[in-house]
Amino acid sequence: MKVAFIDVDGMSTRCIFGGAERGRPILLIHGLTLIADIWAPHIAALEEHGFRVIAPDMAGSGFTDSPPSDGRPMIAHKVDHLCRLLDVLGIRDLSISGSSYGALIAAAFAFFLAGIPV
């Protein structure tokens, strides 16, 4: 497990990574007012099952910058930020898991990936 800060369109984004680069990517999305560290107890088990783990602090949470205020709903900002993060990491095909509010963001993200506007 390692922690790194990734530049996502000028937003410093803290991510916890685990597993092998060639493993099946899984994006772990934390709940409201939480940070990616909530996933720490689960990362080792996911690594053992061959996953490449990406657990970011969502936009405006923890050690990740807040998104610009442009009138869009916060959910849209968070989904857009995660999509851009995956672009930076070069990830296209992945699994997604969310906890509480993170599950709402994960569902919205899945709709976005399917071409349904968020």
Side-chain angles (χ1 to χ4, degrees):
M1 190 166 57
K2 70 176 185 172
V3 176
F5 285 83
I6 308 297
D7 184 300
V8 179
D9 296 334
M11 286 178 60
S12 179
T13 303
R14 185 184 81 130
C15 294
I16 299 173
F17 295 99
E21 283 287 315
R22 290 195 248 182
R24 167 88 177 146
I26 184 167
L27 179 67
L28 303 178
I29 307 172
H30 63 77
L32 191 62
T33 73
L34 298 174
I35 58 176
D37 299 74
I38 67 157
W39 296 107
H42 309 282
I43 291 175
L46 290 165
E47 290 174 323
E48 287 176 18
H49 285 88
F51 284 97
R52 174 185 178 193
V53 178
I54 303 102
D57 285 345
M58 281 193 288
S61 297
F63 298 94
T64 294
D65 292 340
S66 294
S69 178
D70 64 3
R72 290 187 306 154
M74 187 54 70
I75 290 174
H77 277 288
K78 290 179 186 289
V79 169
D80 185 54
H81 177 251
L82 292 173
C83 185
R84 292 176 187 277
L85 170 64
L86 294 175
D87 284 345
V88 169
L89 297 174
I91 297 172
R92 294 277 176 230
D93 184 33
L94 73 157
S95 297
I96 307 168
S97 181
S99 172
S100 189
Y101 177 75
L104 171 67
I105 300 299
F109 189 75
F111 284 131
F112 179 80
L113 292 177
I116 301 168
V118 177

